[in-house]
Amino acid sequence: MKRTYYLETFGCQMNVVDSERIGELLATIGYQPVSQPDDARLILLNTCAVRDKAVRKAYGHLGRFKPLKERNPELIIGLGGCIAQQEGAELLGNFPYLDLVFGTHNIHRLPELVDEVEANRVRCEETEFLDRETRLRLFPSRSDSDQVARFVTVMQGCDNYCSYCVVPYVRGREISRPSGEVLTEVRALASSGVREVTLIGQNVNSYGLRDAEELSFADLLEQVNRVDGIERIRFTTSHPKDLSPQLIDCFGRLGKLCWHLHLPVQSGSNDILRAMNRGYSREHYLEIVRHLKEVCPQIRLSTDIIVGFPGESDEDFNATLDLLAQVCFADIYSFIFSPRRGTAAADLADNTPAAIKQQRFDRMLKLQQELSRQVWQQDVGQVCQVLVEGESKQGAGQLFGRTTWGRIVNFAGERSQVGQTVPVHITRSFKNSQLGELVCQDKLTP
Ligand code: SF4
């Protein structure tokens, strides 16, 4: 059978980047991607363990592949990412049809592991954390791309130990990639036609903090802002406690930095923030927002909220609603608390009935849907600059791109406009995207 692989990715942008790396590594041993698991000789799942729902979903998908293995014993099934890191060899015991388990630090070993499973019909597990020096050598990197917008990894891991979060245990300690390497990658991507870069890491705001010789994240942004060819810069994920005044000022100073920031707050209650070990108060968060809006009045914010954290009272929850109304986020990503094994919050007494948590969640969504609607509706009737990323799924002759706020806009245009920033008159706003009409350049007022 031809060397073909089918890969499913769960979770965050870090996993998206890891999956690209998996694809590149598999190509070195002759594996080509296919879109259907039935056509694959190798099936891989790159998993996320941040929430219980993501874990159940990954196991559900894994179960779907069991009949394929029964029909074709030559099929190799592998599981990587955060669940693999957390569960290790136990997965091989729990899923007899699983051949390969690889952790978050072991992706680079995939070609050898796949070859070994294939040649010797053995079952393998490799989930050891690597030392700092080795990790620094293995940062995912690209020198070219046929895409308009790309992620560039600037740091990995997390030292924050928020009480609900499994990331420090499954991704390891925080390390920053040398700034010289980051800039080399950004310049190479710009030369190959990339126009927008998103600098990513679990907590990019603390970039360079543990290395006296390294640039701060604000200084790194300033350097990226100078790269010819790059028109837009974004970054994620941010931690409010590490969002320095210098970094906030970048939104007023750096012309290429987009007017959008995802800044997870998690709760509007100081008691809950303390229990979450977040390291900032509600007042501090609101002061950051005030400063951001002062230096960049056009900025739009999005955030993450956890509803029903252990001990959350009605008062705590109302403080979150109040904060949402005060900040007026463009979008929120909200979840009902799910305890993660091994984290501090998993041991906290949790007396709030599930039905109450659900009611709070629904109430919050209702409020936020209206706030989001108001924010995005402001664009209707306006002309926005849209960086065109490609042909839209909406049909022939349709393109899609993003505004500075990260909103997807669909509009009629020509393929040759991909990669260009064009003025688009926004005509309608939906829950997750907008519709527009290209503005002829000669109709624009100077
Ligand atoms: S900052 Fe907190 S929530 Fe974010 S990855 Fe680190 S521990 Fe998890």
Side-chain angles (χ1 to χ4, degrees):
M1 192 178 178
K2 266 176 65 184
R3 288 193 136 184
T4 49
Y5 74 91
Y6 172 80
L7 172 61
E8 283 190 1
T9 306
F10 300 80
C12 63
Q13 286 127 337
M14 300 298 285
N15 269 14
V16 172
V17 172
D18 284 348
S19 284
E20 283 182 2
R21 179 94 187 105
I22 288 171
E24 286 164 7
L25 288 164
L26 291 176
T28 66
I29 53 168
Y31 270 90
Q32 297 300 318
V34 288
S35 56
Q36 296 300 324
D38 307 68
D39 300 330
R41 171 167 162 165
L42 167 68
I43 293 177
L44 293 177
L45 287 92
N46 189 12
T47 62
C48 168
V50 166
R51 272 174 282 281
D52 187 48
K53 198 171 165 193
V55 174
R56 279 189 279 121
K57 193 169 165 194
Y59 285 148
H61 284 223
L62 182 60
R64 273 189 8 224
F65 302 132
K66 187 179 174 200
L68 291 182
K69 180 82 171 185
E70 285 165 354
R71 281 206 302 275
N72 173 18
E74 298 291 299
L75 177 68
I76 299 171
I77 302 180
L79 191 141
C82 295
I83 296 179
Q85 191 63 49
Q86 198 169 39
E87 305 298 327
E90 273 188 31
L91 287 166
L92 295 178
N94 295 340
F95 298 94
Y97 52 95
L98 189 61
D99 301 287
L100 175 61
V101 174
F102 57 100
T104 55
H105 287 197
N106 316 98
I107 291 170
H108 65 293
R109 289 262 298 130
L110 209 46
E112 290 140 89
L113 296 172
V114 169
D115 275 344
E116 195 178 333
V117 173
E118 216 169 41
N120 304 322
R121 295 318 306 173
V122 287
R123 301 173 79 211
C124 289
E125 179 261 344
E126 192 155 316
T127 51
E128 249 179 70
F129 272 163
L130 301 177
D131 62 44
R132 187 172 180 278
E133 298 311 312
T134 312
R135 289 173 73 199
L136 281 173
R137 278 193 284 109
L138 292 171
F139 261 99
S141 170
R142 283 191 82 107
S143 55
D144 63 354
S145 172
D146 55 3
Q147 289 167 296
V148 173
R150 292 282 319 175
F151 294 129
V152 174
T153 308
V154 300
M155 55 85 63
Q156 287 177 336
C158 182
D159 292 348
N160 284 318
Y161 293 93
C162 298
S163 66
Y164 53 85
C165 183
V166 81
V167 165
Y169 307 98
V170 293
R171 289 275 173 181
R173 303 305 299 254
E174 194 174 301
I175 54 164
S176 295
R177 185 178 179 195
S179 50
E181 271 183 35
V182 173
L183 291 166
T184 301
E185 180 170 346
V186 172
R187 287 189 197 109
L189 291 174
S191 301
S192 75
V194 169
R195 294 291 163 256
E196 175 182 308
V197 285
T198 302
L199 308 184
I200 65 164
Q202 261 88 25
N203 177 17
V204 291
N205 299 165
S206 64
Y207 177 88
L209 286 185
R210 281 148 190 77
D211 183 352
E213 307 288 298
E214 192 45 275
L215 297 179
S216 69
F217 190 59
D219 290 339
L220 179 67
L221 281 178
E222 177 134 17
Q223 296 292 327
V224 174
N225 194 64
R226 290 193 188 144
V227 175
D228 288 339
I230 294 299
E231 293 174 16
R232 287 181 173 184
I233 306 166
R234 305 180 191 275
F235 59 86
T236 196
T237 296
S238 289
H239 194 306
K241 81 173 169 49
D242 296 318
L243 196 74
S244 65
Q246 293 80 359
L247 186 47
I248 294 173
D249 286 340
C250 287
F251 283 95
R253 279 190 314 111
L254 304 183
K256 297 177 182 176
L257 192 56
C258 289
W259 296 339
H260 172 249
L261 178 65
H262 182 70
L263 192 61
V265 64
Q266 309 297 5
S267 170
S269 152
N270 280 336
D271 286 346
I272 297 297
L273 288 173
R274 217 170 291 118
M276 288 176 166
N277 191 32
R278 288 292 285 172
Y280 55 86
S281 65
R282 168 194 175 92
E283 291 74 23
H284 181 61
Y285 188 92
L286 288 171
E287 173 53 25
I288 289 173
V289 172
R290 188 204 60 72
H291 189 171
L292 282 164
K293 290 184 176 175
E294 181 184 275
V295 300
C296 180
Q298 308 89 337
I299 199 164
R300 292 183 188 170
L301 302 169
S302 55
T303 199
D304 295 335
I305 301 281
I306 296 173
V307 174
F309 188 82
E312 183 190 69
S313 64
D314 282 340
E315 201 184 344
D316 294 320
F317 174 67
N318 285 333
T320 299
L321 292 187
D322 181 71
L323 184 129
L324 293 185
Q326 273 197 53
V327 177
C328 199
F329 293 101
D331 288 302
I332 67 168
Y333 302 88
S334 50
F335 308 93
I336 294 178
F337 172 76
S338 76
R340 310 309 305 132
R341 187 161 49 82
T343 62
D347 297 329
L348 294 176
D350 188 0
N351 300 321
T352 312
I356 299 284
K357 292 188 182 192
Q358 188 64 51
Q359 278 172 20
R360 287 180 187 164
F361 185 78
D362 295 344
R363 235 178 105 198
M364 187 181 68
L365 273 198
K366 199 166 165 217
L367 167 70
Q368 183 57 42
Q369 273 166 4
E370 177 52 22
L371 292 170
S372 294
R373 194 194 62 75
Q374 287 172 17
V375 170
W376 296 113
Q377 196 61 28
Q378 290 169 31
D379 297 339
V380 175
Q382 305 293 321
V383 173
C384 293
Q385 295 299 318
V386 173
L387 174 59
V388 188
E389 291 188 28
E391 289 175 309
S392 160
K393 291 183 192 133
Q394 306 293 318
Q398 295 288 311
L399 301 177
F400 83 97
R402 279 171 214 271
T403 62
T404 184
W405 299 294
R407 204 58 162 180
I408 286 188
V409 180
N410 293 295
F411 63 98
E414 289 172 17
R415 174 98 190 86
S416 59
Q417 285 161 324
V418 173
Q420 294 177 19
T421 301
V422 296
V424 177
H425 179 246
I426 307 297
T427 54
R428 290 186 71 183
S429 191
F430 307 106
K431 200 163 165 235
N432 297 312
S433 66
Q434 293 175 326
L435 196 64
E437 288 165 1
L438 192 64
V439 178
C440 295
Q441 307 282 341
D442 52 9
K443 284 197 191 152
L444 281 178
T445 45

